[in-house]
Amino acid sequence: MFDYLYEWIQNIAFYLIMITAVMHLIPNPEYKRYIRFFTGLVLVVMLTAPLLKLMGMEGSWKELYETREYQRQLKKMEEAAKYLNGNSEVTETDDTWTEAEDGSIEIEDIQIER
């Protein structure tokens, strides 16, 4: 138990030292606000790790990424990125179209109005 606590304090100390060094190396002070926000979020996660372990919830973070809904949304985003990268000149309009499994687009109906 004390080994885990010692390692936890050591990790937080190392993290704070590294963040301090990074903050001093940033040339533009406008970015410090964003880096401070992100590193604060990471620090909160690091501080809550022992509490989650004591409550037996440390596996909950991993389970978030293994759910079907997450996997479905990830696949949907990857397909959208593939479509946008491969067909950047084609935009979606009011036309009726479907996307085939191989990534090609099949137009079912085109209406031209004047």
Side-chain angles (χ1 to χ4, degrees):
M1 178 68 178
F2 287 113
D3 291 334
Y4 177 74
L5 186 61
Y6 179 71
E7 182 182 345
W8 176 66
I9 293 172
Q10 196 175 27
N11 287 339
I12 290 175
F14 178 75
Y15 178 75
L16 291 174
I17 291 170
M18 291 302 297
I19 294 307
T20 303
V22 168
M23 293 300 279
H24 286 293
L25 294 174
I26 297 172
N28 194 347
E30 294 176 8
Y31 295 124
K32 286 185 180 185
R33 176 175 50 168
Y34 301 109
I35 293 174
R36 205 173 288 140
F37 175 74
F38 176 75
T39 56
L41 291 176
V42 172
L43 184 61
V44 167
V45 171
M46 288 178 73
L47 290 173
T48 58
L51 296 174
L52 293 175
K53 186 172 184 175
L54 285 175
M55 290 189 276
M57 296 175 55
E58 67 181 334
S60 299
W61 291 99
K62 292 179 183 178
E63 290 174 10
L64 287 175
Y65 296 106
E66 295 174 357
T67 61
R68 284 188 177 183
E69 179 65 23
Y70 176 78
Q71 296 297 329
R72 189 176 64 79
Q73 290 292 334
L74 182 64
K75 184 177 178 183
K76 194 175 184 181
M77 287 189 300
E78 288 173 350
E79 289 173 359
K82 188 187 332 177
Y83 172 74
L84 290 175
N85 288 336
N87 303 316
S88 60
E89 69 278 350
V90 178
T91 59
E92 183 180 344
T93 61
D94 291 336
D95 300 333
T96 305
W97 59 275
T98 57
E99 185 173 353
E101 289 183 17
D102 63 351
S104 63
I105 298 175
E106 298 174 5
I107 305 293
E108 295 171 2
D109 183 30
I110 297 178
Q111 297 177 357
I112 300 175
E113 298 179 13
R114 289 188 181 208

